[in-house]
Amino acid sequence: SVPVLGETDPSDGDLVILPIRVRNPSVIHVDMSPTELRFDAAVGTGVIPADQDVRFTVATNAPSWSVQCQASNLVSEAGEIPAARLLWERLDESGRTVESGNLGEAPVVYHGTTPTTGTTAILRFKVQITMRDVAGAYHGAIALMGVAGP
């Protein structure tokens, strides 16, 4: 006969069958390069692209996940531009924009609904320059963070 949960198995004397629960926590790993954005802002207004795109790779066992972006304000010797004015575009393998947003309003730059061993994506950042911004070379830190869940 098969032992019943919580009962002693008569063939082994004092062996008790107990339930076991295993919790496998969600792990999300994000690699990215570069970790700093640089912009050369000329006099005037407009949208200025960063000097290079950001490439990142996500590996996770989470069934649902997202990648959120945070950035510092952009600074130069003569001024500062708030990070909320950063615009982002996620590009496909051909360089076409597949999703975009304003970092101040839409910090989620990627999301998935299945685990992945290595999804790679490219982000292109731009900044909105106004007449109040002093011309110059601006730079700021950028970070990507993986979040499990919907």
Side-chain angles (χ1 to χ4, degrees), residues 5-137:
L5 183 65
E7 289 186 353
T8 302
D9 183 344
S11 63
D12 287 335
D14 58 356
L15 176 68
V16 177
I17 307 300
L18 298 174
I20 295 177
R21 292 186 186 181
V22 177
R23 177 163 160 66
N24 187 15
S26 295
V27 176
I28 302 175
H29 182 75
V30 180
D31 280 326
M32 65 177 285
S33 180
T35 57
E36 185 172 86
L37 299 175
R38 295 183 182 278
F39 297 88
D40 287 322
V43 176
T45 63
V47 177
I48 308 288
D51 66 341
Q52 60 182 316
D53 294 337
V54 174
R55 178 177 292 276
F56 69 93
T57 303
V58 180
T60 182
N61 64 349
S64 178
W65 51 272
S66 64
V67 175
Q68 296 182 0
C69 184
Q70 296 177 335
S72 67
N73 289 342
L74 304 175
V75 295
S76 74
E77 291 182 11
E80 187 170 330
I81 299 173
R85 279 203 262 145
L86 282 171
L87 310 172
W88 60 268
E89 297 175 345
R90 187 165 46 83
L91 310 177
D92 66 11
E93 301 81 24
S94 301
R96 291 182 300 246
T97 301
V98 293
E99 194 172 2
S100 63
N102 176 306
L103 196 57
E105 299 169 1
V108 174
V109 296
Y110 202 95
H111 54 85
T113 55
T114 60
T116 179
T117 57
T119 297
T120 299
I122 297 170
L123 292 174
R124 178 164 294 153
F125 288 91
K126 300 176 182 180
V127 65
Q128 178 67 51
I129 301 297
T130 69
M131 290 302 289
R132 293 184 182 165
D133 298 319
V134 178

